[in-house]
Amino acid sequence: MLTVIIPASNEELWIGPCLSALCASSLPQAQVIVVANGCKDKTADLARQVFAEEAPESWDCTVLDFATGSKPFALNQGDALAKYPVRAYLDADVIVSRGLLAALVSALSTDAPRYASGTPKIPPARSAVTRAYARFWKGLPFNQTTAPGYGLFAVNAAGRARWQEFPAIISDDTFVRLQFQPDERVQVNDTYLWPMIEGFAALTRVRRRQDAGVKELERLYPGLLEREGKPPLSKTRLVGMLLQDPVGFATYAAVSLAVRLKRGGPAFTRGR
C-alpha cells in the first residue's frame, strides 16, 4: 500500500488539520510517519493525539521526535521506518482530499519509475498582499507543468530507487521531481490545499530561499534543471498577465525586487 512521511518542525498550528484530513482518507490501509524535528512546541503531542482519536484501526501510525531540526534528516528518518514501497511525502500544512491517497496509489501501480502528485489548490489568503501574489504566481510556467508537487509528492518503488538518502539541500522537493523526466510525472485530479505564507516580508524570505535552492541545485547537480520541462514565459504572455492582473504583477515584481536588494541566509521558512 502506501507510506506517508510528514516532516514537521514547529507545526502545532497546522499538524492537527493536516492529520485529520489524512485520517479521513478513503485508503483502507496505510502507514503514516510524522517526524517532528527540532520542535519547541506541541507538534509531536498533537500528532499523537490525532492518531489516537482519529486514525483508522487498520493504519499504522507513528510519531518520531528528534531534537535535530533538519527536513532532509527528518525525511531520511521516515524513510528508514517505511514499510511500503510506494511513498508519499507531505508537508505538515497540507490538507488532502478524501480520495487523493488512493488515487496516488493507483497512479503509481506500475513497474516503471513514476512520480505523482495531486492537483494543488491555494486557499484564500488573509492578507491582500498574499492574495495578489498568489493570483499572479499561479499563472507562471512552473504551475502549468504536470505535477509540480509543491507540498505533496509521491513515488513508487522504481522511482524511489532513483536516489539514495535525501541530500542536505534546500530544495528537496525540486531535487526529487527532477529525478524524473516530464513524461514520468503524473498528476491526478484529486486535490489538496496548500496555503501560501502570509505577508510581504514572509513572501520575500521564502522567495529568497527558493532562489538559493535553485542556485544550489545548479551548483551541485549540473544539468538537473534541464529536466524541468516547463514552458517558456514569452513577452507576449507576460504582457497579457500584466494587463489581466496589474496588482498581482506589481506585487510579484515587488517581492522579486526585494529579494535582490535584501541580504539574508536561506534559513528554513515555511510555505512558498
Side-chain angles (χ1 to χ4, degrees):
M1 295 298 290
L2 174 71
T3 292
V4 182
I5 298 170
I6 307 173
S9 182
N10 295 319
E11 303 281 8
E12 68 177 4
L13 297 179
W14 297 274
I15 193 68
C18 171
L19 295 182
S20 291
L22 200 66
C23 290
S25 296
S26 61
L27 197 65
Q29 188 173 0
Q31 178 190 27
V32 183
I33 306 170
V34 173
V35 190
N37 61 101
C39 294
K40 298 179 181 179
D41 63 5
K42 299 179 180 178
T43 295
D45 291 338
L46 289 172
R48 294 187 186 98
Q49 179 180 343
V50 173
F51 284 153
E53 297 176 355
E54 303 180 35
E57 292 185 3
S58 59
W59 284 26
D60 178 0
C61 298
T62 304
V63 178
L64 305 177
D65 195 357
F66 296 98
T68 302
S70 164
K71 186 179 180 183
F73 170 82
L75 290 167
N76 288 326
Q77 293 298 319
D79 261 343
L81 197 64
K83 65 181 184 180
Y84 293 124
V86 179
R87 311 275 174 87
Y89 302 90
L90 181 69
D91 285 357
D93 58 349
V94 165
I95 305 296
V96 299
S97 58
R98 187 173 185 274
L100 178 54
L101 297 187
L104 291 174
V105 170
S106 178
L108 294 170
S109 297
T110 173
D111 293 333
R114 287 291 182 270
Y115 169 102
S117 187
T119 298
K121 301 292 183 182
I122 300 177
R126 297 188 303 273
S127 67
V129 167
T130 296
R131 289 196 298 272
Y133 184 93
R135 283 198 313 269
F136 189 83
W137 181 81
K138 287 188 291 186
L140 293 174
F142 170 71
N143 289 300
Q144 313 312 310
T145 61
T146 299
Y150 46 83
L152 166 66
F153 59 87
V155 296
N156 61 5
R160 183 60 187 85
R162 288 277 173 92
W163 76 100
Q164 299 299 314
E165 288 193 338
F166 282 88
I169 57 174
I170 299 168
S171 296
D172 56 273
D173 52 352
T174 303
F175 170 80
V176 172
R177 190 177 74 256
L178 298 185
Q179 302 301 311
F180 301 83
Q181 298 292 344
D183 61 0
E184 295 178 314
R185 305 173 204 154
V186 180
Q187 181 170 318
V188 302
N189 291 329
D190 298 78
T191 62
Y192 64 95
L193 298 181
W194 180 82
M196 188 170 280
I197 199 164
E198 299 281 354
F200 186 87
L203 287 168
T204 301
R205 289 196 303 271
V206 170
R207 179 70 178 278
R208 184 183 299 120
R209 178 178 170 84
Q210 280 183 309
D211 291 353
V214 170
K215 291 179 180 178
E216 183 180 50
L217 288 175
E218 288 178 329
R219 176 173 55 85
L220 295 178
Y221 306 98
L224 189 66
L225 292 174
E226 296 175 5
R227 300 178 184 174
E228 185 69 76
K230 64 182 179 182
L233 180 59
S234 66
K235 291 183 179 180
T236 301
R237 170 63 177 161
L238 184 60
V239 170
M241 293 174 67
L242 186 158
L243 295 175
Q244 184 177 11
D245 187 3
V247 174
F249 176 87
T251 305
Y252 187 87
V255 170
S256 300
L257 180 61
V259 169
R260 294 187 178 187
L261 295 178
K262 295 180 181 180
R263 297 179 179 180
F268 174 77
T269 305
R270 70 181 340 277
R272 282 293 187 276

